[in-house]
Amino acid sequence: MPEAPPRLTAALADRYRIERALGAGGMATVYLAADLRHDRKVAIKVLKPELAAVLGADRFVVEIKTTAAMSHPHILPLFDSGEADGFLFYVMPYVEGETIREKLNRETQCGVDEAVRIAREVADALDYAHRHGVIHRDIKPENILLHDGRAMVMDFGIALAVSAAAGGRMTETGLSLGTPHYMSPEQATADKAITGRSDIYSLASVLYEMLTGEPPHMGTSAQQIIMKIIAEPVRPASELRRAIPPNVAAALAKALEKLPADRFESARAFGEALASPAFATSTGWVSSNVIGTRGWFAGWRVTAALLATGALLGWLARPSPPDPVGQVARVTVPLSEGYVMGDGIDPALAMSRDGSTLAYIANDALYKRSLDRDVTERLGDTPPRACCPIFSSDGRWILFSIGSDSLTAAMPVDGGAVVDARRVVNEDLVFGTYRQAISRRPAGDSTWHTIISSDSSGQEGGIGWPQLLPDGRTVLFTRFGPDMMVNGASVVALDLKTGMRTTVAERATYGRYSNTGHVVYATADGALEAVAFDLKRRQVSGSPVVVAEGVRVAYWGGAADYAISESGTLAYVRGSTWALHQMVGLDRAGRVVQRIGKPGTFEDLSLSPDGREVVAYVASNTADISRMNLITGELRRLTFEPTTEDNPVYSPDGRRIAYRKAVAARDQRIYSQAVDGSGEPTLLHREEEQFVVPRAWAPDGKTLALWASPSRLMLVDTERKRIDTVSMRASREGGKFSPDGRWLVWVSEETGESEIYVASFPGLRGRQQVSIHGGRFPQWSARSGELFFLAGDTLMVARVTTGASFAHTPPQPLFVTPPGTMSLNGFVVSADGQRIYYAAPSPDAVAHEIRIVFNLAGVLKAKPPR
């Protein structure tokens, strides 16, 4: 067993002396410890860090207190609970004995009388708890301790406390509450209304195993077990062991009914039936143990393994086409810890046409999950900025884009090297992200042809996310306003033959046609809605209905991480739209030393010269710039226009900021404004030809550097409003002035890879390459004489000398950031180089799970219009 973490040992040293680890489970690690205050042995359960991170200490402690007052001879009491240096723990008596699991591992079966006695003692404990409003939710052999032969239920109420403290977000941890073999059908189908009858089912499953040597349902994988729990009758225990009395067999039959209403009304009644030789049921083992029309999946052949308390415990067998009148099955797929799916701007999820397989891009790799398997397969590495995967129509290839390019890359569905998609896929394709055009590559053609362009008036900010509909002549796409925000977007259907456009939905994005005869689309608040759409007439009818909520939707650019198969299966990524980030401060070792303010979506950070504040573009329905105090976390809005204002940059004296205002695609304006909000903004430059953003002020406060697409540096004299333009080969990130104003740093892709360059200012002479193996987001520190930048996900630093000449040491790594975090939006560095600030992914925004909904037609039939 692993030793206790030194931080934990130190944090508990005044109360407990941890001696050794006793075991580890799905939620916690158990340690034997000495209670120093009471001179007794105790067992300390410490929740796993990833679970503790989701719960939070305050809520967990409040919830667990509701279980501490329970006192019953067959319930192991709770001595203590709390938080210690980030660890959440609870303390129980250390009891010599063994669990039922350990007993069954040794003996396989229990004597009939002994098994019934143990079950009745547990039923008595359950009855006591249920009458006090507490449901265990995780009754299993591992949680029943035998002390001198007497049953004691452990972790009573812990599952409830964890679930309540998580606020419904248990799936974010990748952990599960509940064990497949002992789950009730309502737990297996993620029913939120779990009652005491669920505990009765679980206890009956434990008794069944004590009597027969195996649980009621067995399988080689979790999905097989849960499928049987939902769909198959339980084999009578008396067929496996003739010594089981009729009343015990009958009590088991009733307690293992599929429908909660058909079970015992209380745990006490179950215990009494086990003890009464006269107890019998008229239905025996054949009533609702066999699913009929009132069962969980009437009208649909059940091939699904469903989840427990929101966390995936098994995958689904390959689904048959759903019956529109059947019930709806839902499954949650947790992603492995540390996986970052996509960048939150471009879509990263795909589903095969038959609905049997998922594919997604995460951590610069392509992954596949077949619905009839329990594992995720890593197919291979993808180039940087890969996005937008789709399956080929024959299911043999997964196509994806690199950046905003067309679907130019492909990987075999079973894994392998990335190849040119044109060599292996010959089918009619359309593609477009959030740019100015949508392209089509007809079958047999290797060239992409523009089929839709933005309005020449410039009032459209972009178009994208197309889908060619089954008639071969209609394209569904998203049309954006100049700010590229979802609130100003709409889903449009275009007849390629007549040019007729039909607006399907306003304030909507990423429309996808479903074979149910609906168009599904995403809204800014993360909902998926569906509206009936007559493809022949290209007309919308009726009111939309909400089919899912909490979907990850890009606030800018309108991508939504969901996919619909031709078989009627919907898959979507859970995530936040407006709270993607948590502002944090790191030390030079990469340790988080500050968590600042509330979660939000922060981009384009600029640090004030005194190091006390940052200004940032804060994505929201208003899309404005705000100031954040790095000590208090206080956020103050600076701009209030209905258009988007972004890319703020502090002036050297810290009294003003420069920023961009996007009035229209061909009307971008650069303003200067006082940071205290006084006075009116001053127009510094208006651009009608190219994309421009502020990058840095010169130290004298008179020159503002703008980056202009595709690769130019524009220098604005803020006093005389004069503009100088300098060509910077393949520049990506414009230029930033050194603290003495004599050198300029920028990023160029002229060698095919982003690298950091420095040259004198003005004139850009004496150019030197600072990075060696790639670099982005260069940042000078004002006083430490250092230049920081990112190489991939590694933060690098080089010591620099500026003045009449420039010199630098070879860059050295400081620390590695989690994949796809700091490298998305960059960072800022304090003047002394000791503190690094960036907008880290917030727990609510990182894609922790994929939700799958089978039988979309059933959802649409059951949902009322909004």
Short mmCIF file of all heavy atoms in Angstrom, two decimals, residues 822-860:
data_model
loop_
_atom_site.label_atom_id
_atom_site.label_comp_id
_atom_site.label_asym_id
_atom_site.label_seq_id
_atom_site.Cartn_x
_atom_site.Cartn_y
_atom_site.Cartn_z
N MET A 822 -2.45 26.82 -20.96
CA MET A 822 -1.83 28.13 -21.15
C MET A 822 -1.58 28.43 -22.63
O MET A 822 -1.59 29.58 -23.05
CB MET A 822 -0.51 28.20 -20.37
CG MET A 822 0.09 29.60 -20.29
SD MET A 822 1.67 29.63 -19.40
CE MET A 822 1.14 29.30 -17.72
N SER A 823 -1.39 27.38 -23.43
CA SER A 823 -1.06 27.58 -24.85
C SER A 823 -2.25 28.07 -25.66
O SER A 823 -2.10 28.39 -26.84
CB SER A 823 -0.52 26.29 -25.45
OG SER A 823 -1.49 25.26 -25.37
N LEU A 824 -3.45 28.14 -25.07
CA LEU A 824 -4.60 28.63 -25.81
C LEU A 824 -4.66 30.15 -25.80
O LEU A 824 -4.92 30.78 -26.83
CB LEU A 824 -5.89 28.07 -25.20
CG LEU A 824 -6.13 26.57 -25.39
CD1 LEU A 824 -7.42 26.17 -24.70
CD2 LEU A 824 -6.17 26.21 -26.85
N ASN A 825 -4.45 30.78 -24.65
CA ASN A 825 -4.64 32.22 -24.53
C ASN A 825 -3.43 32.97 -24.01
O ASN A 825 -3.50 34.17 -23.80
CB ASN A 825 -5.83 32.51 -23.61
CG ASN A 825 -7.14 32.03 -24.20
OD1 ASN A 825 -7.45 32.35 -25.35
ND2 ASN A 825 -7.88 31.26 -23.44
N GLY A 826 -2.32 32.27 -23.79
CA GLY A 826 -1.13 32.94 -23.35
C GLY A 826 -1.13 33.27 -21.87
O GLY A 826 -1.88 32.69 -21.08
N PHE A 827 -0.28 34.23 -21.48
CA PHE A 827 -0.03 34.53 -20.07
C PHE A 827 0.57 35.91 -19.97
O PHE A 827 0.94 36.53 -20.99
CB PHE A 827 0.91 33.49 -19.47
CG PHE A 827 2.26 33.47 -20.14
CD1 PHE A 827 3.34 34.17 -19.60
CD2 PHE A 827 2.46 32.79 -21.33
CE1 PHE A 827 4.57 34.19 -20.23
CE2 PHE A 827 3.69 32.80 -21.97
CZ PHE A 827 4.75 33.49 -21.42
N VAL A 828 0.70 36.42 -18.75
CA VAL A 828 1.44 37.65 -18.48
C VAL A 828 2.38 37.39 -17.31
O VAL A 828 2.14 36.48 -16.50
CB VAL A 828 0.51 38.84 -18.18
CG1 VAL A 828 -0.26 39.24 -19.42
CG2 VAL A 828 -0.44 38.53 -17.03
N VAL A 829 3.45 38.20 -17.21
CA VAL A 829 4.48 37.98 -16.21
C VAL A 829 4.67 39.25 -15.39
O VAL A 829 4.69 40.37 -15.94
CB VAL A 829 5.82 37.59 -16.87
CG1 VAL A 829 6.89 37.35 -15.82
CG2 VAL A 829 5.65 36.36 -17.75
N SER A 830 4.83 39.09 -14.09
CA SER A 830 5.06 40.24 -13.22
C SER A 830 6.40 40.88 -13.54
O SER A 830 7.28 40.27 -14.16
CB SER A 830 5.03 39.81 -11.75
OG SER A 830 6.07 38.88 -11.48
N ALA A 831 6.57 42.12 -13.10
CA ALA A 831 7.77 42.89 -13.44
C ALA A 831 9.04 42.21 -12.95
O ALA A 831 10.09 42.28 -13.60
CB ALA A 831 7.66 44.31 -12.87
N ASP A 832 8.96 41.53 -11.79
CA ASP A 832 10.16 40.88 -11.26
C ASP A 832 10.34 39.46 -11.78
O ASP A 832 11.28 38.76 -11.40
CB ASP A 832 10.13 40.87 -9.73
CG ASP A 832 8.92 40.13 -9.17
OD1 ASP A 832 8.14 39.54 -9.95
OD2 ASP A 832 8.74 40.15 -7.94
N GLY A 833 9.40 38.99 -12.62
CA GLY A 833 9.53 37.67 -13.22
C GLY A 833 9.20 36.53 -12.27
O GLY A 833 9.43 35.36 -12.61
N GLN A 834 8.64 36.83 -11.11
CA GLN A 834 8.39 35.79 -10.11
C GLN A 834 6.97 35.23 -10.15
O GLN A 834 6.70 34.19 -9.57
CB GLN A 834 8.67 36.33 -8.71
CG GLN A 834 10.10 36.75 -8.50
CD GLN A 834 11.08 35.61 -8.74
OE1 GLN A 834 10.96 34.53 -8.14
NE2 GLN A 834 12.04 35.83 -9.64
N ARG A 835 6.06 35.92 -10.81
CA ARG A 835 4.68 35.47 -10.81
C ARG A 835 4.16 35.45 -12.25
O ARG A 835 4.36 36.41 -13.00
CB ARG A 835 3.83 36.40 -9.95
CG ARG A 835 2.40 35.94 -9.68
CD ARG A 835 2.34 34.65 -8.88
NE ARG A 835 3.07 34.67 -7.65
CZ ARG A 835 2.61 35.08 -6.48
NH1 ARG A 835 1.37 35.52 -6.38
NH2 ARG A 835 3.36 35.04 -5.40
N ILE A 836 3.51 34.34 -12.61
CA ILE A 836 2.93 34.19 -13.94
C ILE A 836 1.43 34.09 -13.78
O ILE A 836 0.93 33.27 -12.97
CB ILE A 836 3.48 32.93 -14.66
CG1 ILE A 836 4.99 33.06 -14.88
CG2 ILE A 836 2.78 32.72 -15.99
CD1 ILE A 836 5.82 32.37 -13.83
N TYR A 837 0.68 34.89 -14.52
CA TYR A 837 -0.78 34.87 -14.45
C TYR A 837 -1.34 34.36 -15.78
O TYR A 837 -0.86 34.73 -16.85
CB TYR A 837 -1.34 36.26 -14.19
CG TYR A 837 -0.88 36.87 -12.89
CD1 TYR A 837 0.16 37.78 -12.86
CD2 TYR A 837 -1.51 36.53 -11.68
CE1 TYR A 837 0.58 38.34 -11.66
CE2 TYR A 837 -1.10 37.09 -10.49
CZ TYR A 837 -0.05 37.99 -10.48
OH TYR A 837 0.37 38.54 -9.29
N TYR A 838 -2.36 33.50 -15.67
CA TYR A 838 -3.05 33.09 -16.89
C TYR A 838 -4.45 32.63 -16.55
O TYR A 838 -4.79 32.38 -15.39
CB TYR A 838 -2.26 32.02 -17.64
CG TYR A 838 -2.47 30.59 -17.22
CD1 TYR A 838 -3.19 29.71 -18.03
CD2 TYR A 838 -1.92 30.09 -16.04
CE1 TYR A 838 -3.36 28.39 -17.67
CE2 TYR A 838 -2.09 28.78 -15.68
CZ TYR A 838 -2.81 27.92 -16.50
OH TYR A 838 -2.98 26.61 -16.14
N ALA A 839 -5.28 32.54 -17.59
CA ALA A 839 -6.66 32.09 -17.44
C ALA A 839 -6.69 30.58 -17.61
O ALA A 839 -6.70 30.07 -18.73
CB ALA A 839 -7.56 32.78 -18.46
N ALA A 840 -6.68 29.87 -16.48
CA ALA A 840 -6.66 28.41 -16.51
C ALA A 840 -8.06 27.87 -16.77
O ALA A 840 -9.06 28.54 -16.47
CB ALA A 840 -6.14 27.87 -15.17
N PRO A 841 -8.17 26.68 -17.34
CA PRO A 841 -9.50 26.09 -17.51
C PRO A 841 -10.19 25.92 -16.17
O PRO A 841 -9.61 25.40 -15.22
CB PRO A 841 -9.20 24.72 -18.15
CG PRO A 841 -7.86 24.88 -18.78
CD PRO A 841 -7.10 25.82 -17.89
N SER A 842 -11.42 26.39 -16.07
CA SER A 842 -12.16 26.24 -14.82
C SER A 842 -12.73 24.82 -14.74
O SER A 842 -12.97 24.18 -15.76
CB SER A 842 -13.30 27.25 -14.74
OG SER A 842 -14.35 26.90 -15.62
N PRO A 843 -12.93 24.31 -13.52
CA PRO A 843 -13.48 22.95 -13.38
C PRO A 843 -14.81 22.77 -14.08
O PRO A 843 -15.14 21.68 -14.55
CB PRO A 843 -13.62 22.78 -11.86
CG PRO A 843 -12.63 23.74 -11.28
CD PRO A 843 -12.60 24.91 -12.21
N ASP A 844 -15.61 23.85 -14.16
CA ASP A 844 -16.91 23.75 -14.79
C ASP A 844 -16.84 23.72 -16.31
O ASP A 844 -17.82 23.44 -16.98
CB ASP A 844 -17.80 24.93 -14.38
CG ASP A 844 -18.21 24.83 -12.93
OD1 ASP A 844 -18.23 23.71 -12.39
OD2 ASP A 844 -18.50 25.88 -12.33
N ALA A 845 -15.67 24.06 -16.87
CA ALA A 845 -15.58 24.21 -18.31
C ALA A 845 -14.82 23.08 -19.00
O ALA A 845 -15.08 22.79 -20.16
CB ALA A 845 -14.90 25.54 -18.65
N VAL A 846 -13.87 22.47 -18.29
CA VAL A 846 -13.11 21.39 -18.92
C VAL A 846 -14.06 20.25 -19.28
O VAL A 846 -14.93 19.88 -18.49
CB VAL A 846 -12.00 20.88 -17.97
CG1 VAL A 846 -11.32 19.66 -18.56
CG2 VAL A 846 -10.99 21.98 -17.72
N ALA A 847 -13.89 19.73 -20.47
CA ALA A 847 -14.77 18.65 -20.91
C ALA A 847 -14.42 17.37 -20.14
O ALA A 847 -13.41 16.75 -20.39
CB ALA A 847 -14.62 18.42 -22.41
N HIS A 848 -15.26 17.02 -19.16
CA HIS A 848 -15.04 15.82 -18.36
C HIS A 848 -15.83 14.63 -18.88
O HIS A 848 -15.56 13.50 -18.51
CB HIS A 848 -15.44 16.06 -16.90
CG HIS A 848 -14.57 17.04 -16.19
ND1 HIS A 848 -13.32 16.71 -15.71
CD2 HIS A 848 -14.74 18.34 -15.90
CE1 HIS A 848 -12.79 17.77 -15.13
NE2 HIS A 848 -13.64 18.76 -15.23
N GLU A 849 -16.81 14.89 -19.71
CA GLU A 849 -17.70 13.80 -20.08
C GLU A 849 -18.38 14.06 -21.41
O GLU A 849 -18.50 15.20 -21.86
CB GLU A 849 -18.76 13.60 -18.99
CG GLU A 849 -19.65 14.83 -18.81
CD GLU A 849 -20.56 14.73 -17.61
OE1 GLU A 849 -20.15 14.11 -16.62
OE2 GLU A 849 -21.69 15.25 -17.68
N ILE A 850 -18.79 12.97 -22.02
CA ILE A 850 -19.63 13.01 -23.20
C ILE A 850 -20.95 12.37 -22.83
O ILE A 850 -20.98 11.28 -22.24
CB ILE A 850 -18.99 12.24 -24.38
CG1 ILE A 850 -17.60 12.81 -24.71
CG2 ILE A 850 -19.89 12.30 -25.61
CD1 ILE A 850 -16.83 11.97 -25.69
N ARG A 851 -22.04 13.05 -23.12
CA ARG A 851 -23.36 12.49 -22.88
C ARG A 851 -23.88 11.87 -24.19
O ARG A 851 -23.71 12.46 -25.26
CB ARG A 851 -24.33 13.58 -22.42
CG ARG A 851 -24.01 14.14 -21.05
CD ARG A 851 -24.53 13.24 -19.93
NE ARG A 851 -24.20 13.77 -18.63
CZ ARG A 851 -24.99 14.58 -17.94
NH1 ARG A 851 -26.14 14.97 -18.44
NH2 ARG A 851 -24.64 15.00 -16.73
N ILE A 852 -24.50 10.72 -24.07
CA ILE A 852 -25.08 10.07 -25.23
C ILE A 852 -26.57 9.85 -24.95
O ILE A 852 -26.95 9.39 -23.88
CB ILE A 852 -24.41 8.71 -25.52
CG1 ILE A 852 -22.91 8.90 -25.74
CG2 ILE A 852 -25.02 8.05 -26.75
CD1 ILE A 852 -22.17 7.62 -25.94
N VAL A 853 -27.38 10.22 -25.92
CA VAL A 853 -28.83 10.05 -25.82
C VAL A 853 -29.27 9.17 -26.97
O VAL A 853 -29.11 9.53 -28.14
CB VAL A 853 -29.57 11.41 -25.88
CG1 VAL A 853 -31.07 11.19 -25.77
CG2 VAL A 853 -29.07 12.34 -24.78
N PHE A 854 -29.79 8.01 -26.64
CA PHE A 854 -30.31 7.11 -27.65
C PHE A 854 -31.80 7.40 -27.88
O PHE A 854 -32.52 7.73 -26.95
CB PHE A 854 -30.14 5.65 -27.22
CG PHE A 854 -28.71 5.20 -27.24
CD1 PHE A 854 -27.88 5.47 -26.18
CD2 PHE A 854 -28.18 4.54 -28.34
CE1 PHE A 854 -26.56 5.10 -26.19
CE2 PHE A 854 -26.86 4.17 -28.36
CZ PHE A 854 -26.04 4.43 -27.29
N ASN A 855 -32.19 7.29 -29.13
CA ASN A 855 -33.59 7.50 -29.52
C ASN A 855 -33.97 8.96 -29.42
O ASN A 855 -34.79 9.37 -28.60
CB ASN A 855 -34.53 6.63 -28.67
CG ASN A 855 -35.94 6.60 -29.25
OD1 ASN A 855 -36.17 7.04 -30.36
ND2 ASN A 855 -36.86 6.08 -28.48
N LEU A 856 -33.37 9.78 -30.29
CA LEU A 856 -33.70 11.20 -30.34
C LEU A 856 -35.17 11.41 -30.66
O LEU A 856 -35.80 12.34 -30.17
CB LEU A 856 -32.82 11.90 -31.39
CG LEU A 856 -33.02 13.40 -31.55
CD1 LEU A 856 -32.76 14.13 -30.24
CD2 LEU A 856 -32.12 13.93 -32.66
N ALA A 857 -35.73 10.51 -31.48
CA ALA A 857 -37.16 10.62 -31.80
C ALA A 857 -38.01 10.53 -30.53
O ALA A 857 -39.01 11.23 -30.38
CB ALA A 857 -37.57 9.53 -32.78
N GLY A 858 -37.59 9.66 -29.61
CA GLY A 858 -38.32 9.55 -28.35
C GLY A 858 -38.23 10.81 -27.52
O GLY A 858 -39.19 11.22 -26.86
N VAL A 859 -37.05 11.47 -27.55
CA VAL A 859 -36.90 12.74 -26.84
C VAL A 859 -37.85 13.79 -27.41
O VAL A 859 -38.55 14.49 -26.69
CB VAL A 859 -35.44 13.24 -26.94
CG1 VAL A 859 -35.30 14.61 -26.28
CG2 VAL A 859 -34.49 12.26 -26.29
N LEU A 860 -37.88 13.87 -28.75
CA LEU A 860 -38.72 14.88 -29.40
C LEU A 860 -40.19 14.62 -29.16
O LEU A 860 -40.99 15.55 -29.04
CB LEU A 860 -38.42 14.90 -30.90
CG LEU A 860 -37.00 15.35 -31.27
CD1 LEU A 860 -36.73 15.11 -32.73
CD2 LEU A 860 -36.79 16.81 -30.90
#
